[in-house]
Amino acid sequence: RATFGSHKFEMSARLYDMLTDLEGDEFKPFEDSLAEWPIMQHGFRDLTAAHPDSRWLLNRFAYFACIANDANEYRALRARIGAGVWKSAWKGKYSIQACDQSMFIH
């Protein structure tokens, strides 16, 4: 039986993902809230493992890796995304083009 405790990382990733959208382009989740990248990263790993065909989750995971400035995670996710870019998953100054450039993907 699943409990909140068994999904706490997934819930954290979902909640801070939603909060980031609600607060707008200037919101920095890892500076302006209690969000922590290692916890969100764990949550997104769990979510993408549970939903391996979700391009949305994969793109959002990469989006947050870019915000967290985690180049290794971003590059690995970007390779998995390939041409399967979900444009609406990328917001403001963290467009996929900007993240590719800042994470040295050409």
Side-chain angles (χ1 to χ4, degrees):
R1 181 176 139 176
T3 64
F4 176 74
S6 67
H7 295 285
K8 66 183 174 185
F9 295 107
E10 293 174 30
M11 288 298 293
S12 179
R14 287 178 186 253
L15 288 170
Y16 284 113
D17 181 18
M18 188 181 341
L19 177 64
T20 300
D21 278 350
L22 291 172
E23 292 299 314
D25 292 342
E26 298 303 314
F27 181 73
K28 299 175 189 127
F30 305 114
E31 295 175 28
D32 299 337
S33 74
L34 298 176
E36 297 178 30
W37 174 237
I39 292 171
M40 284 192 72
Q41 182 179 36
H42 186 147
F44 273 112
R45 284 182 178 160
D46 289 350
L47 286 165
T48 55
H51 307 281
D53 296 327
S54 175
R55 290 185 310 136
W56 171 260
L57 283 173
L58 194 59
N59 277 260
R60 287 303 276 186
F61 189 1
Y63 170 77
F64 280 100
C66 180
I67 293 172
N69 202 31
D70 185 339
N72 290 333
E73 186 75 70
Y74 181 83
R75 289 181 192 133
L77 292 164
R78 189 64 179 89
R80 288 174 59 193
I81 291 169
V85 174
W86 194 302
K87 290 184 181 182
S88 62
W90 302 84
K91 309 284 183 182
K93 65 182 177 181
Y94 294 101
S95 68
I96 195 163
Q97 295 83 3
C99 289
D100 282 355
Q101 186 174 19
S102 68
M103 299 291 151
F104 307 109
I105 296 177
H106 304 287

